[in-house]
């Protein structure tokens, strides 16, 4: 975007994307509870705290950059989803958002189930004591070895993603003398994001078996025929960061249409329907996510209505929130390094991490918030771009944000809502060491995933 093309207008209008807040917030010291974890607040000394522990003490003990996860908030969110859907539904936490053994134990204790989509995630879940029958195994290209391990472990369901996989899972089950519970993931032609969704006949993507052209019906035919499989339901997942349930309405309508066809052709009513995940959270004050109980009510009504229309018994519903549980519970703490004001444009604020600990901004153009957390400031707001330390100009953590103009090297800033898809997508680019995840609760902080060391790097590099 050329600055000279927009000479007029308010100071920030030409550099902020359309629809973005164009004025700085009234008070930069205020923390919007929508984007910060539940126990985060600012102490009387101006230092931000989580779980009662201030960020200066956390930085001192654990270093920066680091992810700090509010365990109280995580448990509360997990419980809210569990309670909202009640006993007639299942909530599977999507482990890919963030998985560690501590998280697995919390989920187990709060009564949630768990989605995994690789051998590594399965190993993590089992090693932390998640009962296998509460695990669902996903993925568009599970290896025969992964399938074998999942069947052997006794996972509660494998979500079949291709025609080939149907045979592979049946084969493993027979070899092990078992009958494996499976769902079939179908693509219903609905793609949802924020307040919009697109509904087409086909979906141009690698996941699932298309409903269109009778492929899903054929998958059902094959799965029902194989002794090693118990087909328990149909699965669909329509998108991410969704605020509106209308996309689910179209998806449920199409899935129920398939359930009806299955009943008419085979005389069986499949007992389960999985609507996937993708529910949105607030990354900035402009986002307005709905509460779990509202979503549960809407989804339950949709499925019930569609099934009544098709004269089917209402199947047991499952959902798979990942981001909506863990996303808001963590923030990334950085130390400010170099600061470069670019006259008339913005100020580049470099931090000691970057795209290696948060790839979402570079990958999805994601928006984040940021705040000065080691002190308060009465200085004027300055338009800032928070960037990392990597050798890449797209290494941006927060594209547009206001920070106080007296920001200085050594200050601590924090980016909220980084619990999902940040540590789990972290990389070693530039041989940067991946940050730790520290859980904080009731005045105590403990490392649940430790920081990588140079020894870790060198151990993999065998010379
Ligand atoms: C990614 C994914 C989820 C979780 O998505 P969120 O946006 O984190 O809620 C759930 N189910 C499936 C099949 C997925 O691929």
């Amino acid at each position: 975007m050329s600055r000279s093309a927009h000479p007029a207008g308010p100071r920030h209008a030409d550099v902020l994307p359309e629809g973005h807040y164009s004025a700085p917030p009234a008070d930069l010291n205020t923390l919007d509870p929508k984007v910060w974890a539940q126990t985060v607040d600012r102490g009387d000394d101006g230092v931000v705290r989580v779980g009662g522990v201030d960020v200066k003490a956390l930085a001192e003990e654990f270093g920066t950059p680091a992810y700090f996860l509010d365990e109280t908030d995580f448990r509360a969110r997990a419980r809210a989803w569990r309670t909202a859907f009640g006993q007639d539904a299942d909530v599977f936490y999507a482990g890919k958002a963030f998985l560690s053994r501590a998280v697995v134990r919390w989920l187990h204790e709060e009564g949630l189930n768990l989605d995994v989509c690789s051998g590594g995630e399965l190993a993590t879940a089992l090693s932390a004591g998640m009962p296998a029958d509460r695990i669902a195994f996903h993925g568009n290209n599970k290896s025969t070895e992964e399938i074998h391990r999942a069947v052997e472990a006794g996972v509660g369901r494998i979500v079949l993603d291709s025609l080939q996989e149907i045979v592979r899972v049946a084969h493993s089950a027979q070899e092990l003398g078992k009958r494996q519970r499976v769902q079939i993931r179908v693509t219903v032609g609905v793609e949802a994001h924020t307040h919009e969704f697109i509904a087409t006949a086909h979906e141009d993507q690698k996941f699932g078996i298309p409903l269109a052209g009778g492929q899903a019906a054929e998958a059902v035919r094959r799965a029902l025929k194989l002794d090693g499989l118990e087909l328990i339901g149909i699965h669909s997942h329509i998108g991410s960061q969704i605020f509106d349930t209308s996309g689910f309405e179209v998806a449920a309508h199409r899935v129920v249409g398939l359930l009806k066809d299955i009943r008419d052709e085979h005389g069986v009513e499949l007992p389960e329907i999985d609507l996937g995940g993708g529910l949105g959270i607030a990354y900035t004050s402009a986002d307005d996510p709905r509460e779990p109980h509202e979503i549960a009510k809407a989804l339950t009504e949709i499925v019930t209505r569609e099934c009544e229309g098709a004269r089917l018994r209402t199947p047991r519903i499952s959902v798979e929130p990942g981001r909506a549980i863990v996303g808001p519970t963590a923030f990334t703490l950085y130390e400010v390094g170099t600061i470069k004001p670019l006259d008339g444009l913005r100020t580049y604020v470099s931090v000691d991490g970057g795209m290696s600990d948060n790839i979402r901004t570079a990958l999805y153009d994601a928006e984040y918030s940021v705040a000065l957390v080691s002190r308060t400031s009465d200085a004027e707001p300055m338009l800032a771009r928070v960037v990392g330390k990597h050798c890449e100009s797209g290494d941006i953590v927060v594209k547009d944000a206001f920070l106080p103009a007296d920001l200085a090297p050594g200050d601590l800033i924090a980016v909220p809502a980084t619990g999902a898809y940040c540590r789990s997508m972290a990389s070693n680019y530039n041989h940067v060491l991946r940050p730790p995840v520290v859980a904080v609760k009731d005045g105590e902080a403990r490392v649940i995933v430790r920081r990588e060391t140079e020894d870790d790097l060198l151990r993999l590099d065998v010379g």
Side-chain angles (χ1 to χ4, degrees), residues 94 96-97 115 138 185 235 237 240 276-279 320-323 421:
K96 70 182 187 198
D115 272 1
H138 280 269
R185 175 163 174 178
H235 178 285
H237 172 75
S240 65
L279 289 318
E320 307 175 313
R323 186 195 316 269
Y421 305 108

Side-chain angles (χ1 to χ4, degrees), residues 296-318:
K297 185 164 176 281
L299 295 186
T300 308
E301 277 172 11
I302 288 167
V303 172
T304 307
R305 190 172 61 236
E306 288 297 331
C307 288
E308 275 167 7
R311 298 182 187 285
L312 286 165
R313 271 191 302 276
T314 303
R316 187 176 178 86
I317 298 172
S318 41

